Amino acid sequence: MSPAAPAYRRLSVEERRRQLLEAALSLYARRVPEDVSLDDVAEAAGVSRPLVYRYFPGGKQQLYEAALRSAADELRHCFDEPHEGPLLPRLARALDRYLTFVGRHDAGFSALLQGGSVVETSRTTAIVDGVRRAAAEHLYSHLDVAEPGPRLRMTVRMWITAVEAASLIWLDEEKQPPADELRDWLVDQFVAVLAVTAARDAQTAELVRGALAAET
């Protein structure tokens, strides 16, 4: 006797929505968003085009923004790190998760950060900026700084920008150097930019003498 076919399981609304978003993100990982059609998403998810429209009646733009929010939520979780142990290993673990995300989403990540996409709007820009703000807030928290001054805020935001730029170059260079080397280099850069700012800012100087002194 031939084996029985697996029983069909009807997906809940949330499960189906998650399936469609995952299919879209998998396509954005290989192609820029404007090159991904609803037919492509339907085929990747193994469903009909009308079903995709049922969940995303706003069409391609609504699906892209929903997928972007889903990716942004995942990126925010990259920075979820317990406030335990030395600071720099905590930062390294967060960067490991971040670079894993970048490596998994390739072209979609590049299109997201480089801009210029025909599907880019003020809403999509706000989603990306929200991830940057969340990353900065996590860093302030791990530095035990409740009210960062302007020089420290600028330093942290500049470093986040440098991480994004390095990630894009890393993808262009076919993920070379290896992710662990890139991670260590980015951690070293964080320490270096804090040290430079410390020469001009009392708040950052106190951080370098305190939180970072034992680790550098």
Side-chain angles (χ1 to χ4, degrees):
M1 295 179 60
S2 59
Y8 175 76
R9 186 173 73 89
R10 187 180 183 87
L11 298 181
S12 68
V13 170
E14 189 55 39
E15 287 173 328
R16 180 66 74 187
R17 179 180 170 83
R18 189 182 311 117
Q19 178 198 30
L20 296 175
L21 291 177
E22 289 174 355
L25 286 171
S26 71
L27 292 170
Y28 298 147
R30 301 189 298 273
R31 291 146 58 183
V32 294
E34 57 262 38
D35 289 343
V36 176
S37 69
L38 292 182
D39 285 332
D40 294 331
V41 175
E43 182 179 357
V47 300
S48 66
R49 178 187 174 96
L51 182 64
V52 179
Y53 262 114
R54 185 187 309 170
Y55 282 82
F56 300 99
K60 180 175 177 176
Q61 181 66 29
Q62 184 185 12
L63 176 58
Y64 173 66
E65 290 181 12
L68 185 57
R69 288 191 188 93
S70 175
D73 288 341
E74 187 176 346
L75 264 176
R76 287 190 185 93
H77 287 309
C78 291
F79 308 115
D80 291 340
E81 181 66 32
H83 288 60
E84 300 171 358
L87 173 64
L88 298 185
R90 282 185 255 159
L91 181 57
R93 288 191 292 270
L95 283 171
D96 278 336
R97 291 190 290 271
Y98 177 85
L99 292 173
T100 296
F101 177 92
V102 171
R104 198 166 70 243
H105 290 86
D106 278 20
F109 180 84
S110 297
L112 168 64
L113 288 188
Q114 289 175 325
S117 169
V118 297
V119 293
E120 184 180 12
T121 66
S122 59
R123 291 189 301 274
T124 61
T125 300
I127 292 169
V128 178
D129 285 343
V131 175
R132 292 170 179 148
R133 288 193 297 273
E137 291 302 322
H138 276 283
L139 282 170
Y140 301 143
S141 175
H142 283 283
L143 290 169
D144 291 325
V145 176
E147 297 183 8
R151 288 185 184 271
L152 181 58
R153 288 199 305 272
M154 186 176 295
T155 299
V156 167
R157 290 173 62 184
M158 286 171 59
W159 181 75
I160 291 170
T161 300
V163 170
E164 292 179 355
S167 301
L168 292 172
I169 297 170
W170 183 61
L171 292 177
D172 284 344
E173 295 292 334
E174 300 181 350
K175 299 176 185 175
Q176 291 298 320
D180 58 342
E181 292 184 20
L182 177 59
R183 173 206 64 208
D184 291 343
W185 182 58
L186 291 171
V187 171
D188 289 345
Q189 281 206 340
F190 183 64
V191 174
V193 294
L194 283 179
V196 170
T197 303
R200 297 174 176 269
D201 179 60
Q203 182 183 46
T204 309
E206 184 176 351
L207 282 176
V208 171
R209 288 193 300 269
L212 296 178
E215 303 184 51
T216 57

